[in-house]
Amino acid sequence: MNRILSPLLISIFVSSVFAQPKLPDKFALTPNPIELTRAARPREYIEAVGRKAAIFGHENGVFEAWAFPIKLFHDARISIQVEGQDSPVDFGDNVEHIITRPEATTLIASNQLFTMRAHFLTPIDEAGSLVLLDVETSRPLTVTVSFVPDLKPMWPGGLGGQSAGWRDDLKAFVISESRRKFNGFFGSPAATKGVATPAHQLASGSLRFDIKIEPTQAKKSFYPLIIAGSMKDRQTAIDLYNKLSSTIPEQYQKTLGHYRRLRDEMLSVETPDQKLNLAFEWAKVSLDKGMVDNPDLGLGLVAGWNATGNGARPGFGWFFGGDAAMNSYAMTAYGDWENVKATFRFLAKYQRADGKIPHEISQSAGMIKWFEEYPYAYYHADTTPFYIAAVYNYYLQSGDKEFVKELWPTLKKAYQFCVDNDTDDDGILENSKAGLGASELGSLLENLHQDIYLAATNAQASMAIGNFADNNATSKSALDHWTKAHEAINNRYWNPERERFAYALTKDAQQKTNQNMETTAWTAVPMFFGQLHPTKAKNNLAQLASSELSTDWGTRMLSRQSKAYDPIAYNNGGVWPFLTGFVATGEFHYNRPHSGFAHLKQIANLTFDFALGYHPEILSGDYYRPLDESVPHQLFSSGMAITPLVYGMLGFHSMITDGEDPRIIFAPQLPATWQRVTVRKLKVQNDPITFSVERKSYSTMHYEITRRQDTKINLALTIPLPYLVQSAQVLVDKKPVKCEPREPNACNIKFPLAKHHVIEVTFSGGVEIDVPLSTPQVGDGVTSMKVLDIAPAGKNKLSLQVEGRTGQSYEVRLRTMWRIAYLAGATMKSEKDDWKTITVTIPKDDKDSWQTKTIEIEFN
């Protein structure tokens, strides 16, 4: 009997000791129509972010992990020892390519003896992350994963008594603290025993564990790295670790499905510019990845992400009120209304007793006395009026009266805060009393009383309250304040000698009000809201388009001609994509589509040139690259790939109010070279609208609009026409309608909107203008021509004011059936079909400067 059992016992023992670990079967990651790929650039940022956790890292494969608001570890690295080779291979040194998808980021390392793909994935609603190692090899490998444990709350929170140790039953390190309340796990079901650690404290260096990889097993299995965290207790973290380990395909599919719905069920645009289309989709992804479900604070929108290294603040991974208000415009536009409402509820939850909306809330605020002992929570004044304005924008598109009713007490308190901090009765609260606005540091703060950004947001807030309020007295008071604010912006900020608007109002030692006439991009904010008088705005618009403020990658905050200008200064010269977005939208609103589109494209280009899929916070004012301090994934930068496109280029606005005339507005201003644009699932109330524009011929445009519902609503369509157009005829569903002229080159129609309409526009004569755009390469300086203004100069004459760099030549293309009878300031280059190309040459000088040139064209 013993002779029979002994071999069985030996066999069972050997099998238990040498059995292969339970590993997940390999599966192919689903191709994504918006995925981006390129050769790896080791210093560029990567991420995999969900609602409750994140991986932050770089394209060299070094990464860190968070389970919000706790940083679990950093400096995680992968090295590979190939059997028969003397030295290990660093994964990061061999990364060749990156593939970025919304649901996962993949780094591909290639060696002469193996290829390894590391798929970084954070499940959309779990407090943990996954790294799936997909290995092809003909030789056995030993993969060593090293990392530095932290268990550190986001700054400025703190913990004590951290320690780390190996759990052989889980094949993972546990990172914990003395109470065992906060816990993190990092390991792999394929791991062998990890290194020993000191008791009751963290090791001074890295911890590591090994994974043995056999070629046969590698053909059919992933080797997963599992990351889990919990602020509740250790068992919760263990349960999550085991759940993630056993449900990898399900976690991937759930996350994939989330981003598929974001792509397919919300607003999309299809233009002839594929990069612009992709930038729009990635901006949606970027904003979605800012939604964080913090276990102490709730669900809200943070401002941006970055890897921290030894630090404890992942970029702007806090809840910022002003950023949230700005980003809500883009989110409202593409229809993510549930997250917009969650964002507003979060801000309302932490409103101060006097009505002030928070500026910033650390993710560790639930662990410390953030609001009582730290000065940052209510630092800014602009967040309060911008909160009101942003809720109003949401309401105008959604018609969600119940949500406004829910927030009304907070809206009324916020408005009262604005009123209480207006000491000179101009309808605008003051920076000097309420807090910061446009600038946080530098010369723009000198003697500051009130800046134009704060003034614009407050004026819009007063309009909002005036339209929200059921109480006639409240409504009248708010609209009176709006009138005062509107007059103040157009009069107190107007400088008649310089014929342009000031950046801010200042007060000297005698409390005399003066103007700060520094040239900044902030004058675009009242244009964003349509508040400046069009005639007065002309010179500011020219400055925004000029090389004084505009680069080839966005708009500087401060003029390069200012004595305070510094190209790498945070508030005194750097290029801000979010501010560029205000500029672009304002330019479209004030009929400067060429400069508006150039700025929109500059924002879109950022999607592909740095952190793949995301937008940096701030760039140099002189060269195309982010500042060293810039956050690589800044949400309000990404949001401006959407806001100027929808509210500016498409000219979409919705007025779903209690009035007698609910309406939607389209006023598209599209590039002359585009043949077709289609907008799908543009949600008004809960009605998804499809809107398309197609050029049928030189003189015929075709508009089509479709909706599902038949609720009463009017369509107001502003139809763009060529400059100097002679006549235009409009048919709505084959019936002629009168098109009311609108300067400078458009006409308006208005009619009740049914489920489907076709609008045909035929025009005769006129000129359309195309200014080819340059695409800068990383490190380039500013060289492209700037279009300052285009305007009729008589019956058959057109005047173009442009600016170029000395010694450079530029092309301008004209689409017209007319012959050019006279041309000054440029030379004729070529004619083909209905396009004429002229060359604009800026004379060379010794200063390498910029010169303005006027081009006069008369047509026969």
Side-chain angles (χ1 to χ4, degrees):
M1 189 70 174
N2 288 340
R3 290 181 180 179
I4 296 173
L5 288 176
S6 294
L8 288 172
L9 290 170
I10 292 170
S11 175
I12 293 168
F13 173 75
V14 170
S15 297
S16 65
V17 172
F18 296 102
Q20 288 291 329
K22 176 68 174 173
L23 296 175
D25 293 338
K26 273 189 185 180
F27 54 85
L29 270 62
T30 304
N32 193 309
I34 68 168
E35 69 183 40
L36 304 174
T37 184
R38 70 166 181 222
R41 291 159 54 183
R43 293 183 298 175
E44 294 294 353
Y45 165 84
I46 64 169
E47 70 177 34
V49 179
R51 296 288 188 259
K52 299 179 180 180
I55 290 173
F56 306 122
H58 294 90
E59 292 180 25
N60 62 5
V62 179
F63 65 96
E64 65 191 54
W66 290 73
F68 300 132
I70 305 295
K71 181 181 180 184
L72 302 179
F73 60 81
H74 73 281
D75 200 30
R77 299 171 181 263
I78 298 170
S79 65
I80 304 101
Q81 179 68 56
V82 182
E83 186 178 84
Q85 299 292 298
D86 294 333
S87 302
V89 175
D90 184 77
F91 173 82
D93 290 343
N94 289 266
V95 173
E96 300 284 352
H97 284 88
I98 175 175
I99 303 172
T100 300
R101 309 175 184 89
E103 63 276 7
T105 297
T106 300
L107 298 179
I108 304 173
S110 177
N111 179 271
Q112 61 184 352
L113 292 171
F114 66 86
T115 292
M116 179 180 289
R117 295 171 178 84
H119 304 299
F120 296 86
L121 163 69
T122 297
I124 190 64
D125 56 3
E126 300 287 358
S129 300
L130 302 164
V131 183
L132 307 180
L133 302 182
D134 180 357
V135 184
E136 298 175 25
T137 179
S138 57
R139 295 190 186 182
L141 309 176
T142 299
V143 171
T144 298
V145 180
S146 63
F147 65 99
V148 178
D150 289 297
L151 203 73
K152 183 188 298 182
M154 203 173 289
W155 187 92
L159 284 175
Q162 291 97 324
S163 62
W166 179 255
R167 285 280 300 260
D168 202 49
D169 58 330
L170 295 171
K171 303 298 182 186
F173 279 99
V174 56
I175 312 165
S176 190
E177 40 79 35
S178 299
R179 299 171 299 167
R180 299 190 175 188
K181 177 182 179 182
F182 300 93
N183 297 272
F185 284 84
F186 184 32
S188 172
T192 59
K193 185 175 175 62
V195 297
T197 56
H200 309 300
Q201 61 181 317
L202 293 177
S204 58
S206 298
L207 304 181
R208 66 183 184 275
F209 56 86
D210 292 341
I211 298 173
K212 302 293 185 181
I213 296 180
E214 295 295 329
T216 302
Q217 184 74 28
K219 289 180 180 179
K220 59 184 180 181
S221 301
F222 283 130
Y223 289 81
L225 310 181
I226 313 295
I227 304 162
S230 173
M231 291 178 61
K232 186 178 180 181
D233 54 45
R234 182 167 295 181
Q235 189 58 48
T236 300
I238 292 172
D239 292 344
L240 177 59
Y241 182 88
N242 289 329
K243 176 183 178 181
L244 295 178
S245 182
S246 62
T247 60
I248 289 171
E250 292 84 353
Q251 298 297 337
Y252 169 73
Q253 287 297 329
K254 186 173 183 180
T255 305
L256 177 69
H258 172 83
Y259 288 108
R260 181 184 290 122
R261 289 188 295 275
L262 181 69
R263 183 181 71 245
D264 294 343
E265 297 180 11
M266 295 187 186
L267 175 64
S268 65
V269 294
E270 184 181 334
T271 78
D273 188 330
Q274 182 60 18
K275 278 199 163 184
L276 186 62
N277 302 342
L278 280 171
F280 187 92
E281 289 299 324
W282 272 98
K284 288 159 58 178
V285 172
S286 171
L287 293 171
D288 187 83
K289 287 181 179 288
M291 294 301 301
V292 168
D293 191 358
N294 184 288
D296 288 331
L297 304 174
L299 179 64
L301 186 67
V302 301
W305 296 119
N306 195 8
T308 64
N310 292 320
R313 177 169 163 167
F316 287 103
W318 293 9
F319 303 99
F320 280 78
D323 298 56
M326 289 182 202
N327 291 327
S328 75
Y329 280 74
M331 295 168 71
T332 296
Y334 69 74
D336 191 5
W337 293 352
E338 289 305 311
N339 280 327
V340 169
K341 291 193 288 186
T343 297
F344 292 146
R345 286 186 177 114
F346 183 92
L347 297 178
K349 179 179 178 181
Y350 297 102
Q351 185 178 35
R352 204 166 65 182
D354 64 353
K356 197 172 191 182
I357 295 295
H359 166 61
E360 58 184 302
I361 301 175
S362 168
Q363 282 208 53
S364 67
M367 304 171 64
I368 57 177
K369 293 183 178 180
W370 172 256
F371 298 99
E372 297 84 4
E373 297 182 355
Y374 294 83
Y376 312 110
Y378 302 99
Y379 217 41
H380 269 242
D382 57 296
T383 53
T384 303
F386 218 154
Y387 163 72
I388 301 170
V391 173
Y392 183 55
N393 182 67
Y394 164 74
Y395 170 66
L396 290 178
Q397 189 168 338
S398 68
D400 191 347
K401 298 176 187 176
E402 289 302 313
F403 184 65
V404 172
K405 184 177 179 181
E406 173 191 333
L407 290 189
W408 177 245
T410 70
L411 293 165
K412 191 173 181 180
K413 282 174 64 178
Y415 170 67
Q416 191 59 48
F417 175 85
C418 298
V419 172
D420 291 344
N421 285 273
D422 172 16
T423 63
D424 51 12
D425 197 33
D426 64 352
I428 304 169
L429 76 168
E430 288 114 33
N431 300 89
S432 53
K433 193 169 190 297
L436 295 174
S439 183
E440 293 185 335
L441 46 88
S443 63
L444 294 179
L445 288 178
E446 292 177 5
N447 300 320
L448 179 63
H449 174 63
Q450 180 191 95
D451 66 53
I452 199 165
Y453 161 62
L454 184 64
T457 57
N458 196 167
Q460 190 70 5
S462 295
M463 176 189 285
I465 295 298
N467 287 301
F468 276 149
D470 291 330
N471 182 289
N472 288 335
T474 303
S475 177
K476 184 179 183 305
S477 171
L479 292 176
D480 285 346
H481 276 83
W482 174 82
T483 300
K484 290 179 183 178
H486 189 265
E487 290 176 352
I489 292 170
N490 281 279
N491 294 323
R492 297 185 75 193
Y493 281 83
W494 174 249
N495 187 300
E497 287 78 24
R498 301 193 190 185
E499 295 186 325
R500 62 182 177 90
F501 289 95
Y503 157 68
L505 304 180
T506 61
K507 282 200 172 180
D508 58 23
Q510 287 73 42
Q511 293 300 299
K512 180 182 177 181
T513 301
N514 299 298
Q515 293 175 328
N516 181 333
M517 292 305 298
E518 285 278 24
T519 300
T520 77
W522 287 107
T523 53
V525 180
M527 297 183 201
F528 178 88
F529 293 117
Q531 295 165 346
L532 296 188
H533 190 282
T535 302
K536 287 184 174 181
K538 183 176 180 179
N539 287 339
N540 287 91
L541 284 161
Q543 283 185 320
L544 291 170
S546 75
S547 65
E548 187 177 354
L549 287 173
S550 283
T551 68
D552 295 353
W553 50 93
T555 310
R556 301 180 184 98
M557 183 178 288
L558 180 67
S559 165
R560 64 181 175 85
Q561 297 176 4
S562 170
K563 292 180 181 179
Y565 173 72
D566 181 344
I568 63 171
Y570 201 67
N571 281 170
N572 277 26
V575 169
W576 291 82
F578 90 90
L579 203 46
T580 306
F582 279 121
V583 171
T585 310
E587 287 173 322
F588 280 115
H589 286 174
Y590 285 77
N591 300 300
R592 297 294 198 279
H594 295 88
S595 186
F597 184 71
H599 285 132
L600 172 61
K601 274 291 291 179
Q602 289 162 7
I603 298 168
N605 290 339
L606 297 171
T607 311
F608 313 101
D609 290 343
F610 302 104
L612 199 57
Y614 305 105
H615 290 72
E617 173 198 13
I618 182 173
L619 300 93
S620 165
D622 284 353
Y623 300 102
Y624 185 40
R625 60 150 291 168
L627 299 188
D628 292 345
E629 64 186 302
S630 177
V631 170
H633 175 183
Q634 188 75 15
L635 271 69
F636 65 18
S637 298
S638 296
M640 289 303 183
I642 294 173
T643 300
L645 193 156
V646 176
Y647 298 120
M649 188 183 77
L650 295 176
F652 168 72
H653 294 278
S654 177
M655 299 293 289
I656 307 300
T657 66
D658 288 331
E660 297 178 358
D661 187 26
R663 63 192 183 277
I664 59 172
I665 301 166
F666 284 102
Q669 298 178 73
L670 307 178
T673 56
W674 285 10
Q675 291 298 114
R676 183 179 176 87
V677 174
T678 302
V679 180
R680 295 184 175 88
K681 297 183 176 68
L682 178 56
K683 198 162 60 169
V684 177
Q685 292 177 308
N686 281 310
D687 192 0
I689 292 173
T690 297
F691 177 74
S692 66
V693 184
E694 183 177 5
R695 181 185 293 276
K696 292 291 188 179
S697 69
Y698 164 75
S699 59
T700 305
M701 301 296 292
H702 176 100
Y703 295 78
E704 192 165 354
I705 186 164
T706 305
R707 59 192 290 236
R708 290 182 188 172
Q709 300 176 12
D710 56 4
T711 51
K712 183 179 178 181
I713 189 170
N714 289 325
L715 171 67
L717 175 63
T718 296
I719 299 171
L721 297 169
Y723 296 99
L724 306 177
V725 67
Q726 292 176 318
S727 64
Q729 297 79 40
V730 179
L731 301 178
V732 177
D733 301 328
K734 300 183 179 180
K735 296 178 181 179
V737 299
K738 185 177 181 180
C739 201
E740 297 291 341
R742 174 181 168 180
E743 291 185 353
N745 53 308
C747 66
N748 296 333
I749 61 173
K750 178 180 174 183
F751 56 89
L753 188 60
K755 289 187 175 181
H756 180 254
H757 294 283
V758 173
I759 301 115
E760 297 283 352
V761 181
T762 305
F763 54 84
S764 61
V767 183
E768 295 177 274
I769 296 175
D770 170 51
V771 180
L773 300 177
S774 63
T775 303
Q777 301 300 305
V778 175
D780 281 355
V782 187
T783 60
S784 69
M785 185 175 74
K786 314 300 179 188
V787 180
L788 308 186
D789 194 13
I790 301 174
K795 183 178 179 182
N796 295 318
K797 295 180 182 179
L798 202 59
S799 174
L800 286 71
Q801 190 177 33
V802 300
E803 184 190 31
R805 196 154 198 161
T806 54
Q808 298 282 328
S809 291
Y810 306 94
E811 290 185 358
V812 176
R813 302 172 72 223
L814 314 173
R815 187 204 293 269
T816 181
M817 300 300 288
W818 292 340
R819 183 173 62 85
I820 295 179
Y822 173 79
L823 177 62
T827 57
M828 179 64 71
K829 180 180 180 182
S830 63
E831 294 188 48
K832 184 177 181 182
D833 300 326
D834 50 3
W835 284 102
K836 296 171 176 60
T837 302
I838 61 176
T839 300
V840 182
T841 300
I842 310 298
K844 190 173 183 178
D845 65 13
D846 296 333
K847 299 178 182 178
D848 188 28
S849 59
W850 288 79
Q851 290 183 12
T852 301
K853 196 165 191 179
T854 300
I855 304 163
E856 300 286 348
I857 312 172
E858 185 174 351
F859 300 91
N860 196 348

